[in-house]
Structure formats: structure tokens, C-alpha cells
Amino acid sequence: DPIPVAEIIKNYDLIALIEIRGEDCIKKLIELLPGYKYSISPPLCSTQTSAQQTGKRREHYTFIWSSKIEMIKYSTVEAPCHFVRPPHIGFFKVNGGFDFIFAAIHVVWGKKIDRVIEIENINILINKIVKSTGGEGDIILAGDFNMPPENFSLPPEWIPLINGGTTVLKSGGEGSRYDNIWINKNNTSEYAGKSEIIKSAGG
């Protein structure tokens, strides 16, 4: 239902959505968000992975932003960063303020080793972004990492914004912190120290 989703988005100026199966639903959502714009990635899929459930299932990344934000450009990072679904990278600027890079990531599920490999490749991804932008270090990573933050091996200056609670609920009531946002605390000085988990009526 796009209406409650739109009401949540109205509280924010920049949103990343993952596992989008088509653009029609985004168009309906944007109709409920006057002044907001969006970009959507090409359909991403792979048959070259042991995580067979991603074989022919196409997914998109989507960025949605308010009139307070300007998107300069976006791209999907390819090799040498191996990801079943290559991360979607947006270059944004706050009106009258700072610019930054926002990377939407959906780490493969599959076997644990597949997830570990992609988590390790996030370091390569960061280095590639920094190099390709001439040293831009104000990078925000967001999405479904399919691993809790304690399983990451990012440098110590990188911190997860969600350290408590659960972002994914299972039928048995158990949860995880697979969904998260990571920032470099040395480069993203604008971070105000606030984060929260908003759960839908359905859990």
C-alpha cells in the first residue's frame, strides 16, 4: 500500500529503496509525494552465483529525494567489486550545504560464504568510490547487508547507525540487524547523532 509508505517518506529528504520489482509502484508512490523526485537503477540479476534464488529475479534500486536535495548523478559500480547486485551510487548535494555520496547495497543471501565475500568487497567498493571521485570521503552506505554489523571488517572510523533493536522480524518473533546505515565518522561530521527504526503496522 503506497499511502502509509508515502507518509513515512514525507519525514525524510532522501530515501533508498531496494528489492523493487518494477517502476510502476514507484510512479504511484511519487504521485503521493509532491516535490519529490526519484531515480531507478536498471534491472539487476545474476545467474553466476550459488545463491540460486537470485537467478532470474530482477530487482531495482531506487533513490527518492525531496526539493531540499539535488542529485548530481548516479551510477552502478561494476568490477572489480564483485556483487551479485552491484550497488547503486548516488551523488547528492544539500541545497546550500554539503555534498555526499549515497550507496544503496543489497548483499546476496544464499550461502554464508557468498555473503561474507560481498561484505569484504565493501572495502573495495569504498576505495573505488574515493578514487573515482578524486578523494571524496563523505560516503553513506545503506541497505540490506544480510549480516549483522559485528560481522563487518570495515576500518574503525566506519560506524553503523543502528546498534540496537531489530530491523528484520521473522515469524517466530526473532529479529536481526541486517538492514543498516554506515558512515565514516571522520568524514561525515554533519551527522547529528540521531537514528531510529520505524516499523510498519505489519511488523
Side-chain angles (χ1 to χ4, degrees):
D1 189 342
I3 295 178
V5 174
E7 291 304 311
I8 292 175
I9 291 177
K10 287 177 182 178
N11 294 299
Y12 302 94
D13 293 310
L14 178 59
I15 298 289
L17 301 177
I18 62 173
E19 294 189 74
I20 302 301
R21 301 299 169 80
E23 192 170 0
D24 288 347
C25 62
I26 299 300
K27 290 180 178 178
K28 292 179 181 178
L29 183 59
I30 290 296
E31 290 175 358
L32 302 172
L33 296 166
Y36 281 77
K37 297 179 180 180
Y38 79 95
S39 72
I40 188 166
S41 75
L44 303 170
C45 65
S46 174
T47 56
Q48 297 177 353
T49 172
S50 59
Q52 292 300 324
Q53 84 281 8
T54 66
K56 295 183 179 180
R57 189 175 68 182
R58 295 177 177 271
E59 298 181 9
H60 302 262
Y61 294 106
T62 300
F63 291 130
I64 297 176
W65 63 94
S66 76
S67 57
K68 297 179 182 179
I69 304 286
E70 175 189 359
M71 171 179 268
I72 301 171
K73 64 178 181 177
Y74 68 87
S75 64
T76 301
V77 172
E78 302 290 349
C81 307
H82 171 72
F83 291 89
V84 169
R85 292 171 288 256
H88 199 49
I89 315 298
F91 299 76
F92 293 93
K93 183 175 183 179
V94 178
N95 296 341
F98 69 102
D99 56 4
F100 61 96
I101 295 170
F102 194 32
I105 300 173
H106 186 190
V107 169
V108 68
W109 175 249
K111 297 179 180 179
K112 186 175 181 180
I113 185 61
D114 297 318
R115 288 178 271 167
V116 169
I117 290 172
E118 292 201 358
I119 291 294
E120 291 175 347
N121 282 339
I122 290 176
N123 278 303
I124 301 175
L125 171 68
I126 293 170
N127 291 334
K128 182 169 183 177
I129 292 174
V130 172
K131 183 177 180 179
S132 66
T133 56
E136 176 63 68
D138 203 342
I139 302 168
I140 301 170
L141 311 174
D144 179 359
F145 297 93
N146 274 315
M147 296 280 277
E150 56 267 25
N151 287 71
F152 280 52
S153 58
L154 293 177
E157 62 268 23
W158 283 88
I159 59 172
L161 302 191
I162 305 299
N163 283 302
T166 57
T167 60
V168 179
L169 291 179
K170 300 178 181 179
S171 57
E174 299 178 356
S176 68
R177 283 174 292 135
Y178 288 173
D179 303 302
N180 220 312
I181 301 172
W182 288 78
I183 64 169
N184 184 316
K185 63 182 179 181
N186 296 336
N187 295 331
T188 312
S189 58
E190 294 83 2
Y191 174 54
K194 298 179 180 180
S195 61
E196 61 181 330
I197 301 170
I198 298 176
K199 296 180 179 177
S200 67

